[in-house]
Amino acid sequence: MLKNKKYNLILSFIIAVCLWGYVIAETNPTIEVTYENIPIEFVQEEALEKYDLAVSSIDRETVNVTVKGSRNRINKLKTEDITAFVDLSEAVKGENQLKINIKTPNYIEYESSSAVKVEVYVEDLVSREIPVQVHYSGVDEDEEEPITLSVNFDTVTARGAKSIVDSVAYASATIDSKAVGKSPKEFDVELKAVDKSGKEVQHIELLMKEVKVSAETAKVKTVAIHADIINTDGDVQGRTYTVPEQVTVKGSAEALENLEYVESQPVDLTNVFTSKRLALTLKLPDGVEVVESEKNKLIVEVMVEEKGTRTFEYSDEDVSIIGLDDELTATLSNTVIKITVTGKTSIINGLGNDDFKLLVDLSRAKVGKRNVGITVECDKEYGNMEISPKVIGVQIEKKQSDSQVNEGNNQDDKEKDNSVND
């Protein structure tokens, strides 16, 4: 009887464990979940810096990670609990294929990722001083706008791979315009490295993280621009340009009271051979700035019309002889002459063979063979012209008199008769 009781207790315990396992499996099963766009981080960057190297680019910024665990633990898992990192200690200058390491909490099992390696490009590490520019966000079109009174540093040092540092235009300090009042106020503003379009540049280090800016609201006024554009003609045909005629500036009432126009720094078009946009820098009085909405509109738009090339072919029969003595005759050698014209497409497309007149001047020519230069005349506008060949061979002889012509004909007849008799 006692044995049966003990047996029943053991059997009951085993059944209870099985039931408990079944309930747990059904109510909290093991599941797999994929977390997308986990950012890839770098570790051991100091190993590169030791050799004056830095990362310039990677072929992917994020990776998708699949993990496995019980449902209740997966439900508590956050994206930031998963880390994807690349160890740079083995990287060298140039292209590198490096492993993407995945780290998860101990209670979560890593299954797979959308990529196992990343292409990392390493360049020389350089530093460069870049200007600090203060911008204001949320500015309304109104009669007042924030103005910068002072910044504790005009430049900061940007540090990173050479190609990235070269792409940085300035360090941007952005202040919410609604935080600026009528009285001067000081702000601690975070700096971001940006390119010329204002887009933040990644993988760059600014050795100063923030600056102190003093600002207050100011009046605005629209004034004329006197742009100084030099060397506008040059050797470029079809080049035109446009500049803004006016600009809205901000400053104190006293600074703007007598301000009617602003001048620009010289913009030299000497070496501008293709269409492009050039920055227009204004000479602003102290305490006066361009309003936020127009800072990116100060542009000299240079348009250079596309050039084209056409070639026209002529024979010696198309060449006119001028200045030849009446007692002489001239015969031009059998020659193919090519005229190649380069200029504005809209002009040269309207040219034809009849628009060019080919001449040779034999006013001082004497009997014999010689080469003479070919002259080309054209009444229409064109750019540059090349002629090939530049000279043509000519045979110059004396004209025969009527008696000499008759004698020549008689001689020919005699020769024909003799040949028949023979």
Side-chain angles (χ1 to χ4, degrees), residues 12-279:
S12 298
F13 176 76
I14 293 172
I15 292 172
V17 169
C18 291
L19 288 173
W20 178 81
Y22 173 77
V23 171
I24 291 298
E26 286 297 313
T27 59
N28 189 28
T30 298
I31 60 174
E32 287 187 3
V33 177
T34 298
Y35 291 81
E36 298 183 348
N37 299 323
I38 305 298
I40 299 174
E41 302 174 0
F42 292 133
V43 298
Q44 297 293 330
E45 286 190 84
E46 61 273 12
L48 289 179
E49 293 177 7
K50 180 180 177 181
Y51 298 100
D52 292 325
L53 297 173
V55 173
S56 63
S57 66
I58 59 176
D59 65 349
R60 63 176 65 245
E61 298 283 347
T62 63
V63 65
N64 301 335
V65 177
T66 300
V67 295
K68 183 169 70 173
S70 62
R71 180 187 295 173
N72 63 344
R73 288 178 171 175
I74 289 291
N75 288 340
K76 294 177 182 179
L77 187 67
K78 299 178 182 179
T79 301
E80 51 266 32
D81 295 329
I82 303 173
T83 304
F85 64 93
V86 173
D87 188 345
L88 297 176
S89 60
E90 300 297 323
V92 296
K93 186 175 181 179
E95 185 180 307
N96 300 264
Q97 294 288 335
L98 301 178
K99 178 184 176 183
I100 302 175
N101 301 281
I102 307 296
K103 184 178 180 182
T104 63
N106 292 333
Y107 55 85
I108 297 295
E109 184 179 347
Y110 164 69
E111 281 292 298
S112 62
S113 59
S114 59
V116 295
K117 286 189 175 183
V118 63
E119 183 179 293
V120 180
Y121 200 83
V122 175
E123 294 181 6
D124 291 327
L125 176 68
V126 300
S127 299
R128 180 168 67 89
E129 289 294 307
I130 59 173
V132 174
Q133 291 188 14
V134 179
H135 298 271
Y136 298 90
S137 62
V139 176
D140 297 325
E141 297 292 334
D142 206 346
E143 294 182 355
E144 292 185 336
E145 186 172 310
I147 188 171
T148 304
L149 302 177
S150 65
V151 184
N152 63 335
F153 289 97
D154 294 328
T155 63
V156 296
T157 301
R159 188 166 177 261
K162 184 178 185 307
S163 63
I164 298 181
V165 173
D166 289 344
S167 71
V168 176
Y170 58 91
S172 177
T174 303
I175 300 174
D176 185 353
S177 62
K178 294 179 177 57
V180 183
K182 295 184 180 295
S183 300
K185 185 177 179 180
E186 194 170 86
F187 300 86
D188 292 324
V189 190
E190 181 185 1
L191 292 174
K192 292 183 178 180
V194 299
D195 60 20
K196 61 182 179 182
S197 66
K199 183 180 179 181
E200 185 175 1
V201 178
Q202 302 296 327
H203 308 302
I204 195 82
E205 179 187 8
L206 297 179
L207 299 191
M208 186 179 300
K209 305 303 180 184
E210 62 180 28
V211 290
K212 290 186 180 295
V213 180
S214 177
E216 66 178 3
T217 56
K219 297 293 183 181
V220 300
K221 183 178 182 179
T222 300
V223 297
I225 295 177
H226 291 182
D228 183 13
I229 314 298
I230 60 176
N231 295 320
T232 58
D233 296 329
D235 296 326
V236 181
Q237 297 195 16
R239 182 174 61 191
T240 59
Y241 67 92
T242 59
V243 294
E245 296 181 353
Q246 58 185 26
V247 64
T248 302
V249 294
K250 56 187 177 182
S252 66
E254 295 77 16
L256 299 181
E257 183 177 3
N258 297 317
L259 186 66
E260 300 300 329
Y261 67 89
V262 291
E263 297 179 341
S264 77
Q265 298 286 356
V267 179
D268 191 349
L269 303 187
T270 301
N271 296 316
V272 180
F273 302 110
T274 58
S275 298
K276 63 174 56 180
R277 307 175 82 214
L278 305 175

Side-chain angles (χ1 to χ4, degrees), residues 372-385:
V372 293
I374 304 172
T375 302
V376 180
E377 293 182 354
C378 181
D379 294 332
K380 292 186 177 180
E381 179 186 359
Y382 61 88
N384 298 321
M385 182 185 67

Side-chain angles (χ1 to χ4, degrees), residues 344-378:
K344 292 187 289 185
T345 303
S346 60
I347 292 178
I348 67 170
N349 283 346
L351 295 174
N353 281 64
D354 295 339
D355 293 315
F356 297 93
K357 187 176 182 180
L358 283 64
L359 308 168
V360 290
D361 186 355
L362 301 181
S363 56
R364 297 184 179 181
K366 297 180 179 180
V367 174
K369 290 184 178 180
R370 67 193 68 249
N371 290 327
V372 293
I374 304 172
T375 302
V376 180
E377 293 182 354
C378 181

